[in-house]
Amino acid sequence: MTHIKVPQDRIGAIIGPKGNVKKMIEEKSTSKLEIDSENGTIEIVPGDDPVGAMRAADVIQAIGRGFNPEKAYSFFDNDMLMLEIIDLSHAASTPKELLRLKGRIIGKGGKTREIAESLIGVKISVYGKTVSIIGDPEQIIIIRTAMEMLIDGANHGSVYSFLEKKKQDLMRAQLDSY
């Protein structure tokens, strides 16, 4: 049995309209979700598939970190996916500074996040004091480095160049594996 705490304002997203998100997670994972919307805790009671329960935990955490359920469901289709959560609060000492960092990561009109997602093939959510990434281990290492570059003040151009180069490396690695 797993307990997950999610922000109060994300409980609705986990339940979904008419409970359809909760139902989908339960069906795909063979688990049962017991949601306490008062204190924001979700209990996952494993069904026949213990791995499904672990995947359900990833999906719930991802939705809790701001991903829309459709993006979070990808955990059920790919065993290699991981959820990485980067806490920005250690890098920002004031709410204003946190806002600035989030702005750098998202970029003007969402451009920076979009470029990172499309080049490396990950999904990124900026929510609260965190940046969350859904991707395979190699992709996550690349995006974490890119995020750290942005947090440390690197200009967007050099982050894009880094991502372009890493995309080539990923493609080369895929070709070599065939």
Side-chain angles (χ1 to χ4, degrees), residues 86 88 91 100-101 104-105 146-154:
I86 301 170
L88 296 174
R100 191 184 71 76
L101 284 179
R104 283 183 56 78
I105 291 165
M147 293 301 134
E148 285 165 2
M149 289 168 74
L150 288 169
I151 291 166
D152 294 341

Side-chain angles (χ1 to χ4, degrees), residues 62 65-67 113 117 123-127 130-134:
R65 294 299 349 131
F67 284 102
R113 173 176 48 197
E117 286 181 333
K123 297 173 181 82
I124 300 172
S125 170
V126 181
Y127 175 84
T130 63
V131 177
S132 304
I133 308 151
I134 296 175

Side-chain angles (χ1 to χ4, degrees), residues 28-31 46-58 75-76 79:
K28 285 190 178 267
S29 70
T30 74
S31 306
D48 308 333
D49 178 10
V51 175
M54 289 175 2
R55 295 275 100 183
D58 288 331
F75 282 108
F76 291 123
D79 289 344

Side-chain angles (χ1 to χ4, degrees), residues 110-166:
K111 179 179 171 222
T112 302
R113 173 176 48 197
E114 223 168 84
I115 288 172
E117 286 181 333
S118 66
L119 283 176
I120 306 302
V122 295
K123 297 173 181 82
I124 300 172
S125 170
V126 181
Y127 175 84
K129 296 178 176 160
T130 63
V131 177
S132 304
I133 308 151
I134 296 175
D136 67 34
E138 284 172 54
Q139 293 169 321
I140 285 182
I141 290 168
I142 294 167
I143 293 297
R144 190 190 308 123
T145 304
M147 293 301 134
E148 285 165 2
M149 289 168 74
L150 288 169
I151 291 166
D152 294 341
N155 72 39
H156 284 80
S158 34
V159 175
Y160 299 154
S161 304
F162 166 78
L163 291 170
E164 288 279 357
K165 186 186 166 313
K166 288 300 179 184

